[in-house]
Amino acid sequence: MPKLTVDGIEVEVPPGSTVLQAIEAAGKEVPRFCYHERLSIAGNCRMCLVEIRPGPPKPAASCAMPAGDNMEVLTSSPMTQKARKGVMEFLLINHPLDCPICDQGGECDLQDQALFYGADTSRFEENKRAVADKDMGPLIKTTMTRCIHCTRCIRFAEEVAGVPTIGAVGRSEHMEITTLERAVASELSGNVIDLCPVGALTSKPYAFNARPWELRKTEGIDVFDALGANIRIDSRGPEVLRVLPRLNEEVNEEWLGDKSRFACDGLRRQRLDHPYVRRDGRLHPANWAEAFGAVQARFEGRSGTKIGAIAGDQVDAEAMLALKDLMQALGSPNLDCRQDGAAAVPGHRASYLFNSTVRGIEEADALLLIGCNPRWESPVLNARIRKRWLTGELCIGMIGDRYDLGYRYDHLGDGGQALRGVASGRNRFCAELKSATRPMLIIGTGALARSDGMAVLATAQRIAELNGLIREDWNGFNVLNRAASRVGGLDLGVVPGEGGADTEGMLSGAVDTLFLLGADEVDLSGLGGAFVIYQGHHGDAGAARADVILPGAAYTEKSGTWVNLEGRVQRSERATFPLGEAREDWAVLRALSDVLGSPLPYDSLPALRARLALMNPVFDTRDEIVPAEWHRTVVEGRVDDAPFASPVSNYYMTDPISRASETMAVCTEAFLAAETRDG
Amino acid sequence: MNGRGAAGIFAFTADNLKAANAILAKYPDGRQQSAVMPLLDLAQRQLGWTSPAVIEYVADFLGLPAIRVWEVVSFYTMYYREPVGKYRLHICTTTPCWLRGSDEVVRACKEKTGLDFGETDENGLFTLLEVECLGACVNAPVLQINDDYYEDLDADRTAALLDALAEGRPPTTGTQAERLNSAPEGGKTTLLESDARC
């Protein structure tokens, strides 16, 4: 443990730390542009120069200098200050003075650091260089003249995203960052916008929309996949203008997938802003009383067994509980939160959780992927797998369709046969799992949402038990859920009751009255003449088929609880108000229950949340993991030989919001449509 | 030599493939990507310039992303990113050569060929290129033509040199002045008792 002093403060840092880390440990600040905690060290911006004694009589780049014993680091000595001023002057030589028209203005590292560490005037009288802008695709806007060549974007693309398509061509003054006119084909590409310390890479959809100080920043939870990435929702007035990641080391570090980041323009289109009732085959705008009246008329005297409800993928736990309570009050056992019908054992959390936790991936040394495409089902989680793989400690096997995941894996087979092979110890990958100290498997909902899903689940559990994935201090069995609502729904038991129909049953005629709570990814063609009530925020598939539409709130418009795939309970705050007549979902259900004559026993959010915790004590926790007890499921039946495939055919459009988003449509065209046409 | 088209497909000839594998064998296991520069050189000698197809091919050959090879190619002036003439005139204009009159050499080259830097004449004979220090400052100013150095130039010597090249009789490489290598002009001034020729 090297011991050194920083401005007279004594600090002790772990071996291998840099001087910059030691300075931070001492609570001092060092300006920097190229250095980033999660990227390799480049040491090329020189902004972090400090004076180090003993040593040569010149400042050293603290980001690249290993901390040594008895070093004396000076972060505000005349030498350091002069060095910083000099570096800043060089950086500004070719940087345009276009802050007033630059989108980075107000949140620009260069702007801030020039203020604190730079000189007040420029001595440079020659011409500044100009650089042609590059095409980096539909999400990243480039103004390359502003680039200061920190190379963060290059390192991010290569190291984190695993798509080495950004590079620096030319040399010295002619160096330029480029992608060779190709879009950055990564689901994480938007993160380079956050990483860029200047206004060279900015958000194309958000271009010239707002200044950071005009925005109201709300802490939220992402609902476009089940990871539950922590986000900051930036809104102005009634509009969500952009979504940025928040730091959470346990979940998303500081990354965010492109869909989560850019689909927010879908919140402005195709919205349901007042109730509708279908008359004479057409949907007519109505008021709440008329809509509730139409629902009541349908429910009047109808047996609960003929009524069913399906909760969609983005629904919050509060709304799902209200739905469940309402269905129970109506005497209906037909309830499901699984649109895809993926197998899970409600009540046994370990059967549907990502038990190893996301951070646990960084300890794993053997990983078996079964029927999933983590790159599309949860790109940020995939980056975590890649991060571990890059260390060389992780050996990966894969059963199912092949995908380009950004890391190499051993393809063991396509379907059931390979899975049974692993379960019976005949597969070559069993040795890897058995010899590993932290083995894990990740099974996708694509493999579980088949008619033999329960058998697949049971087989995967057997593999986990036989290969030492289940230990006292380690659970290597992981389900890669895709729906943000899924774990919360299963925790609340939003599943068919005694004798009740599941999603598939309800959709194939088991009920004649169906309540869809934000459920749009189901095949409604088999419903026949059933009466459909759709509650949600977008005019998508469900609303198109509905007889009554109850407008609800999108994820940015309500304070809601979501449980991520690890079982982490997280709360999102309201950034904007629901549109028009729309109301928060639980409140709509509460009001409807009144009309139906069986009022739900809560009339405030705190009361509803108290009931959440009553239903499942896990809802009493916040942002923490409660390890789930292991139960093995015993199922009759055999795993079918059919190949396992991921259910996601287009990462950019998986839900009502992203399907309504113009940006996501452009991405689909740019990244997928061309490929499909060729194929 | 393969065609000069900008697009097209590139592949090593059988001989060059053998040479490429010999180059690869020089690098330790798992470090074969370090062979990127000699392989690019080999490919450029085969095609005459480093076309995008060459870059893609070498990238594939080494399992490198194309952008990484682009970075290398764009860093060095020795890789030609456009088709070039039979004689590539690399004029050093870095400080020592400049002090010794590289401006004259540049002027003579431009007058003689009618080209500006980066241009190739219609007959595909000359390409004019400005390069940084060639490391032969002792005999500055220096002009590198293809793989050979021509040193101690001035306007007249440069003009004569280009005439000779145009007529297809390349002059002796090295210094164009009356001296041996970089020994003093007019005979040696030290080590006079030595028998060494000068």
Side-chain angles (χ1 to χ4, degrees):
Chain A
M1 299 273 282
K3 217 184 255 182
L4 59 162
T5 64
V6 177
D7 296 344
I9 304 166
E10 196 163 289
V11 283
E12 204 171 334
V13 289
S17 299
T18 61
V19 170
L20 191 145
Q21 286 165 327
I23 296 171
E24 288 188 335
K28 293 282 176 175
E29 198 176 66
V30 195
R32 85 286 301 267
F33 294 110
C34 73
Y35 176 81
H36 193 274
E37 293 85 352
R38 277 166 236 283
L39 302 175
S40 63
I41 293 168
N44 55 9
C45 77
R46 315 310 289 176
M47 195 61 205
C48 65
L49 291 174
V50 290
E51 183 176 0
I52 298 175
R53 290 179 194 156
K58 59 170 189 170
S62 59
C63 72
M65 172 71 80
D69 247 337
N70 302 322
M71 270 182 175
E72 195 186 327
V73 181
L74 300 166
T75 68
S76 53
S77 68
M79 184 204 275
T80 305
Q81 285 181 353
K82 190 175 165 215
R84 280 177 190 158
K85 217 171 209 170
V87 169
M88 184 54 84
E89 191 170 3
F90 274 120
L91 286 172
L92 291 176
I93 274 182
N94 274 319
H95 192 83
L97 274 174
D98 63 349
C99 302
I101 55 154
C102 175
D103 249 351
Q104 193 84 352
E107 49 187 3
C108 174
D109 290 355
L110 188 64
Q111 206 175 32
D112 295 348
Q113 292 180 29
L115 176 68
F116 286 102
Y117 304 106
D120 52 350
T121 53
S122 170
R123 291 180 289 174
F124 187 73
E125 290 174 353
E126 289 74 11
N127 289 329
K128 288 174 184 261
R129 76 170 196 159
V131 183
D133 291 342
K134 306 293 183 289
D135 179 10
M136 290 203 187
L139 300 175
I140 305 167
K141 179 172 184 274
T142 66
T143 311
M144 298 317 285
T145 303
R146 297 181 189 139
C147 178
I148 57 165
H149 305 129
C150 70
T151 70
R152 275 186 188 179
C153 52
I154 299 178
R155 285 174 283 146
F156 175 84
E158 168 135 9
E159 293 161 18
V160 180
V163 286
T165 51
I166 309 182
V169 300
R171 66 196 284 183
S172 67
E173 206 202 351
H174 305 289
M175 176 171 156
E176 294 184 11
I177 304 288
T178 183
T179 54
L180 304 178
E181 300 305 295
R182 282 175 217 167
V184 182
S186 162
E187 296 71 32
L188 294 169
S189 69
N191 293 297
V192 300
I193 297 166
D194 292 345
L195 286 173
C196 185
V198 296
L201 308 180
T202 51
S203 167
K204 213 176 238 182
Y206 170 75
F208 308 131
N209 260 335
R211 284 299 190 190
W213 55 84
E214 299 175 293
L215 300 171
R216 213 162 55 109
K217 294 142 185 111
T218 312
E219 298 199 341
I221 298 300
D222 175 51
V223 298
F224 289 94
D225 59 37
L227 182 70
N230 291 201
I231 54 171
R232 194 185 92 192
I233 304 158
D234 282 5
S235 57
R236 187 178 56 188
E239 272 187 320
V240 174
L241 290 182
R242 64 172 178 181
V243 171
L244 298 175
R246 262 189 300 142
L247 180 72
N248 188 333
E249 294 289 349
E250 306 296 322
V251 182
N252 56 317
E253 299 181 279
E254 58 191 85
W255 314 129
L256 193 60
D258 284 352
K259 180 170 45 180
S260 311
R261 184 188 292 267
F262 293 109
C264 60
D265 64 338
L267 292 168
R268 295 199 282 272
R269 294 160 54 89
Q270 297 272 82
R271 291 303 301 272
L272 301 172
D273 56 359
H274 51 87
Y276 287 87
V277 175
R278 191 179 291 276
R279 278 192 301 268
D280 315 323
R282 290 196 55 196
L283 284 167
H284 294 276
N287 60 33
W288 279 108
E290 287 166 350
F292 282 160
V295 177
Q296 190 202 8
R298 179 69 184 181
F299 283 9
E300 194 81 67
R302 191 166 298 274
S303 150
T305 53
K306 298 305 279 178
I307 302 171
I310 301 173
D313 287 353
Q314 298 183 327
V315 183
D316 53 310
E318 287 86 349
M320 279 191 289
L321 180 58
L323 180 68
K324 182 182 173 174
D325 287 344
L326 180 63
M327 284 297 130
Q328 265 171 359
L330 295 171
S332 164
N334 309 312
L335 180 67
D336 211 337
C337 67
R338 295 167 296 175
Q339 294 191 76
D340 57 0
V345 189
H348 289 170
R349 283 192 106 204
S351 77
Y352 56 83
L353 286 189
F354 199 94
N355 293 296
S356 306
T357 74
V358 175
R359 185 177 271 235
I361 295 171
E362 294 191 31
E363 292 172 34
D365 44 6
L367 167 63
L368 176 63
L369 297 168
I370 303 168
C372 58
N373 176 2
R375 181 167 166 184
W376 276 8
E377 293 174 27
S378 180
V380 176
L381 184 134
N382 195 49
R384 193 80 84 132
I385 299 176
R386 185 179 146 80
K387 181 180 178 187
R388 178 63 180 163
W389 176 78
L390 280 176
T391 64
E393 306 278 320
L394 182 63
C395 159
I396 305 170
M398 155 82 123
I399 299 175
D401 278 359
R402 290 165 198 261
Y403 301 100
D404 174 10
L405 297 177
Y407 39 83
R408 273 198 288 280
Y409 53 80
D410 184 2
H411 191 252
L412 308 169
D414 293 322
Q417 202 179 357
L419 189 70
R420 287 198 305 272
V422 178
S424 60
R426 278 180 281 120
N427 195 292
R428 60 180 182 270
F429 201 71
C430 292
E432 300 285 355
L433 288 173
K434 281 204 173 92
S435 63
T437 51
R438 289 270 186 265
M440 63 189 282
L441 70 79
I442 297 179
I443 183 162
T445 47
L448 297 173
R450 318 198 304 177
S451 51
D452 62 345
M454 278 311 285
V456 173
L457 180 69
T459 311
Q461 289 186 336
R462 197 160 73 241
I463 291 171
E465 283 191 353
L466 293 178
N467 293 288
L469 275 67
I470 312 299
R471 300 174 190 190
E472 193 93 315
D473 58 341
W474 176 255
N475 187 339
F477 179 84
N478 301 295
V479 177
L480 181 60
N481 278 307
R482 286 186 305 117
S485 66
R486 182 65 49 87
V487 171
L490 292 169
D491 281 349
L492 291 170
V494 183
V495 288
E498 198 68 35
D502 61 2
T503 299
E504 200 187 342
M506 284 185 262
L507 293 174
S508 47
V511 297
D512 63 7
T513 304
L514 185 58
F515 195 106
L516 298 175
L517 179 60
D520 291 282
E521 289 80 30
V522 283
D523 179 11
L524 300 170
S525 60
L527 279 177
F531 187 87
V532 176
I533 302 143
Y534 179 82
Q535 179 179 337
H537 41 80
H538 272 76
D540 204 82
R545 171 64 184 80
D547 296 286
V548 176
I549 293 175
L550 308 174
Y555 73 111
T556 52
E557 293 156 7
K558 57 189 166 192
S559 172
T561 306
W562 277 273
V563 189
N564 86 342
L565 45 70
E566 310 165 280
R568 185 187 302 276
V569 178
Q570 302 190 106
R571 187 152 300 159
S572 188
E573 294 309 325
R574 179 173 64 202
T576 58
F577 286 97
L579 249 62
E581 291 293 300
R583 294 291 178 270
E584 294 189 14
D585 290 280
W586 77 269
V588 173
L589 289 160
R590 171 69 181 75
L592 179 61
S593 70
D594 243 0
V595 175
L596 296 179
S598 39
L600 298 175
Y602 30 78
D603 42 23
S604 71
L605 210 47
L608 173 53
R609 285 185 176 148
R611 182 158 163 72
L612 270 181
L614 204 66
M615 292 292 290
N616 191 333
V618 78
F619 285 97
D620 241 351
T621 66
R622 279 282 288 279
D623 304 326
E624 60 183 79
I625 298 287
V626 184
E629 203 182 322
W630 179 252
H631 283 278
R632 180 158 153 206
T633 315
V634 182
V635 181
E636 296 293 317
R638 186 165 181 275
V639 178
D640 193 65
D641 277 348
F644 297 126
S646 168
V648 186
S649 58
N650 174 5
Y651 164 74
Y652 297 99
M653 288 191 175
T654 51
D655 51 83
I657 301 175
S658 57
R659 278 192 294 269
S661 157
E662 232 169 337
T663 310
M664 291 296 105
V666 175
C667 284
T668 305
E669 176 62 27
F671 295 112
L672 301 168
E675 222 169 274
T676 321
R677 272 197 299 273
D678 296 344
Chain B
M1 202 188 266
N2 286 345
R4 285 168 173 258
I9 298 160
F10 176 85
F12 279 139
T13 59
D15 283 349
N16 277 346
L17 196 60
K18 215 179 282 173
N21 284 321
I23 292 168
L24 277 190
K26 293 177 189 168
Y27 295 89
D29 250 3
R31 297 279 184 272
Q32 269 72 17
Q33 295 181 337
S34 305
V36 60
M37 292 182 64
L39 289 191
L40 281 168
D41 181 58
L42 190 67
Q44 175 166 290
R45 282 170 197 278
Q46 178 180 320
L47 181 66
W49 62 294
T50 304
S51 69
V54 164
I55 291 170
E56 296 282 339
Y57 179 80
V58 171
D60 276 356
F61 198 88
L62 295 170
L64 274 165
I67 185 86
R68 294 286 100 82
V69 182
W70 260 105
E71 288 175 334
V72 172
V73 169
S74 62
F75 190 87
Y76 295 99
T77 50
M78 295 81 117
Y79 298 118
Y80 312 124
R81 279 174 287 160
E82 275 162 30
V84 287
K86 185 176 174 194
Y87 298 109
R88 279 84 68 192
L89 312 177
H90 307 83
I91 310 171
C92 173
T93 55
T94 308
T95 316
C97 280
W98 175 68
L99 286 169
R100 297 278 296 149
S102 65
D103 285 351
E104 288 295 292
V105 180
V106 171
R107 191 173 52 78
C109 284
K110 284 186 176 173
E111 272 174 13
K112 206 76 198 166
T113 61
L115 300 173
D116 209 337
F117 285 129
E119 292 178 352
T120 302
D121 62 16
E122 284 168 11
N123 309 324
L125 194 62
F126 291 116
T127 300
L128 204 57
L129 297 161
E130 183 181 30
V131 299
E132 300 303 332
C133 187
L134 290 171
C137 317
V138 68
N139 285 11
V142 184
L143 173 59
Q144 183 196 345
I145 301 177
N146 298 354
D147 290 340
D148 296 317
Y149 278 18
Y150 294 88
E151 301 146 4
D152 291 321
L153 296 171
D154 55 25
D156 294 343
R157 284 172 182 163
T158 307
L161 178 63
L162 297 189
D163 283 339
L165 286 173
E167 288 162 21
R169 37 176 192 83
T172 322
T173 60
T175 177
Q176 303 298 303
E178 293 299 315
R179 62 168 165 174
L180 177 72
N181 302 333
S182 53
E185 280 184 60
K188 58 186 179 181
T189 54
T190 57
L191 303 175
L192 295 170
E193 59 282 358
S194 155
D195 289 338
R197 192 177 60 88
C198 183

